[in-house]
Each structure stands twice: as structure tokens, then as C-alpha cells.
Amino acid sequence: MECAGAADGCGWSGVAAEQAAHEASCPAAVRLRLMVSSSTIELLQHDAPPSCEEVEQMGVVAAVAALLAHVAVARVAEEACQRLTALCLDEGNKEPAVEAGALEAVVAAMQAHEQVAGVQQHGCRALSNVCGGTDAAAPARNQRAVAAGALTAVEAAMQAHPQV
């Protein structure tokens, strides 16, 4: 396999099982993910926030894009985190979620809505489901979550909502 950032100058190639771990920290692959996410977010920001029913029907990439585009809307933040929690029970959705920016989006939602227990609860669950697993890419997902500020966000959630 070749790195997704090959066109941007990355010379890595290796076995498929190691690709996700490499791309999680590869500057060229990260730039590519951010460019794709930015263009999707730009398109969505001009739209009204999606309804609860629309969020429930979204796939991984759409749920992350909706969360990033409408992070200031508590209802969307809660629904999108809940949707990501459900979708990332499936091992096959973890890497696409990370590539779409789910870890950063969930942390941003938790930071934006510190006093909304539902956002905090579903945000913690989403982080757990995205990061969890025993596959080769799990350590890279965990490192990326730490870099995104997930530990601080989870700690703040636990302190703000000990009853949840």
C-alpha cells in the first residue's frame, strides 16, 4: 500500500495493516484529510442544521461533517455524537471516522457545550467507540485522540456531570 499523502510528497509504502497507523501521524496524509474536511464543512455551513431524523440516517463522514459544520448547535452536537457512537461499534467505521476528523469534532463539541450533559455523555461514548479496539491502528487512534485534547475533555465532562 501507498500512503494517502503520496501525491503530497510522502514516500511511505508498506503493508495494509500498517497504513492507518502511518497515516495517523503523516503530515501529508493529515493535510489531505483536513483539506477534504474543510471543503465539506464549507458546503454544510451554508445549510440549516440537520434535523434529528437526518442525523440518524447519516453515515460516518456525513455525521462528522455535520458535527464540524454545526458544532455550536447543542442538539446537533448531541445527535451527531450519539450517531458516531452507534456507527463506530462496527470496527470498519473506526478508521473512516478518524480520517473524517471525528476525534477533533467530538472534542470540539464537548468543549463548546460543557454544561450540556447529553453532549458530554455521548461525546465520551463516541470517543470510546472510535478509539477502542485491538486492531493495529488502535494505538494511533488513541494517540490522535490525546493530541486532539480528548483526555482533557473527558476529565472536564466527568467533573461537570458526576451524576451521568
Side-chain angles (χ1 to χ4, degrees), residues 39-157:
S39 61
T40 304
I41 291 166
E42 253 180 58
L43 290 172
L44 285 173
Q45 283 178 331
H46 300 291
D47 294 336
S51 68
C52 295
E53 294 78 20
E54 289 171 327
V55 174
E56 287 176 16
Q57 299 304 312
M58 290 179 176
V60 171
V61 173
V64 172
L67 180 56
L68 288 168
H70 303 289
V71 71
V73 181
R75 175 190 55 78
V76 174
E78 185 171 346
E79 291 289 329
C81 286
Q82 188 172 15
R83 182 67 179 146
L84 288 170
T85 298
L87 289 167
C88 290
L89 285 171
D90 179 351
E91 292 289 325
N93 284 332
K94 292 176 190 282
E95 286 306 311
V98 170
E99 290 171 15
L103 296 170
E104 295 81 3
V106 171
V107 169
M110 292 174 72
Q111 291 171 338
H113 304 285
E114 290 180 352
Q115 297 306 313
V116 182
V119 173
Q120 300 305 309
Q121 180 180 20
H122 294 298
C124 287
R125 287 180 178 165
L127 290 171
S128 177
N129 286 4
V130 172
C131 291
T134 57
D135 57 308
R141 288 194 302 270
N142 289 324
Q143 288 175 345
R144 186 162 168 181
V146 169
L151 294 176
T152 304
V154 170
E155 179 183 14

